[in-house]
């Protein structure tokens, strides 16, 4: 691993964050494209639909593909609050990338907190994927891996920022 960079922040942290967030954004935009395409044309076949039990469009268009399958318990299925999970992913990765520019303790704490939420959501959706839908979604699993990697990156960032503040303090 590379040593401390500017302001005591590990040099690798910014590069890794950008790669993870860009990859997460690309996957989220692709997931949204697949869902919209499948809704417009039920015969649409996504690149990630490899087999009957390896189908991302089956997952994205399921009840759990919007609002984690939980929002529609409280509001109508077509309610504006019941957004596709991919839209939430786009917001999450954009937030992770932009807050990653800040060296504040609050930003670092929020990055860790939001990563914990994303990991909890990933575990929840992975269990739905495996035990309810009986499917394997390459796009979904890739985002789960990205979310875990961002959690690790955010822990390292928070530790570095705390160390910088102690030295300055």
């Amino acid at each position: 691993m590379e040593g401390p960079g500017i302001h005591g922040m590990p040099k690798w942290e910014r590069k890794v964050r950008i790669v993870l967030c860009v990859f997460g954004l690309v996957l989220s935009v692709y997931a949204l494209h697949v869902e919209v395409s499948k809704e417009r044309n039920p015969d649409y076949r996504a690149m990630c639909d490899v087999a009957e039990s390896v189908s991302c469009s089956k997952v994205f268009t399921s009840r759990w593909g919007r609002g984690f399958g939980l929002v529609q318990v409280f509001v109508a299925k077509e309610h504006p609050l019941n957004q596709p999970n991919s839209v939430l992913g786009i917001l999450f990765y954009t937030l992770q990338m932009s807050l990653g520019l800040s060296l504040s303790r609050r930003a670092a704490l929020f990055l860790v907190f939001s990563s914990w939420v994303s990991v909890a959501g990933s575990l929840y959706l992975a269990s739905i994927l495996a035990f309810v839908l009986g499917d394997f979604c390459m796009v979904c699993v890739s985002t789960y891996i990205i979310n875990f990697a961002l959690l690790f990156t955010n822990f390292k960032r928070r530790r570095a920022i705390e160390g910088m503040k102690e030295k300055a303090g």
Side-chain angles (χ1 to χ4, degrees):
M1 297 252 177
E2 295 180 39
I6 223 162
H7 305 296
M9 188 62 64
K11 289 180 184 178
W12 62 267
E13 188 270 341
R14 184 176 181 157
K15 293 174 190 171
V16 168
R17 174 177 308 284
I18 290 170
V19 168
L20 291 172
C21 289
V22 166
F23 194 40
L25 278 167
V26 167
L27 289 172
S28 296
V29 168
Y30 177 69
L32 184 60
H33 164 74
V34 169
E35 182 177 344
V36 169
S37 298
K38 191 74 172 176
E39 285 174 359
R40 288 185 182 155
N41 176 7
D43 294 329
Y44 172 78
R45 184 166 167 88
M47 288 187 298
C48 53
D49 290 343
V50 180
E52 183 64 32
S53 62
V54 182
S55 170
C56 63
S57 64
K58 178 179 161 185
V59 175
F60 300 152
T61 58
S62 76
R63 160 186 173 195
W64 293 276
R66 288 182 161 264
F68 292 85
L70 301 172
V71 175
Q72 71 184 28
V73 171
F74 304 103
V75 298
K77 182 180 178 185
E78 298 304 321
H79 193 278
L81 289 177
N82 195 27
Q83 290 296 313
N85 295 346
S86 53
V87 169
L88 301 174
I90 291 167
L91 294 172
F92 172 73
Y93 296 118
T94 302
L95 185 68
Q96 286 283 314
M97 185 135 35
S98 57
L99 279 179
L101 300 174
S102 172
L103 293 177
S104 81
R105 282 184 176 169
R106 274 193 189 153
L109 189 61
F110 187 79
L111 286 168
V112 170
F113 172 75
S114 61
S115 282
W116 272 118
V117 171
S118 77
V119 164
S122 295
L123 292 171
Y124 166 74
L125 290 173
S127 67
I128 296 294
L129 192 62
F131 303 117
V132 176
L133 296 174
D135 196 271
F136 182 82
C137 169
M138 293 178 285
V139 173
C140 304
V141 172
S142 297
T143 61
Y144 306 158
I145 292 167
I146 291 169
N147 293 346
F148 277 94
L150 275 171
L151 178 62
F152 173 79
T153 303
N154 287 329
F155 271 134
K156 292 291 190 180
R157 175 186 194 76
R158 183 159 183 255
R159 186 177 303 147
I161 287 175
E162 291 296 326
M164 289 171 9
K165 301 295 180 183
E166 287 172 14
K167 286 179 187 175

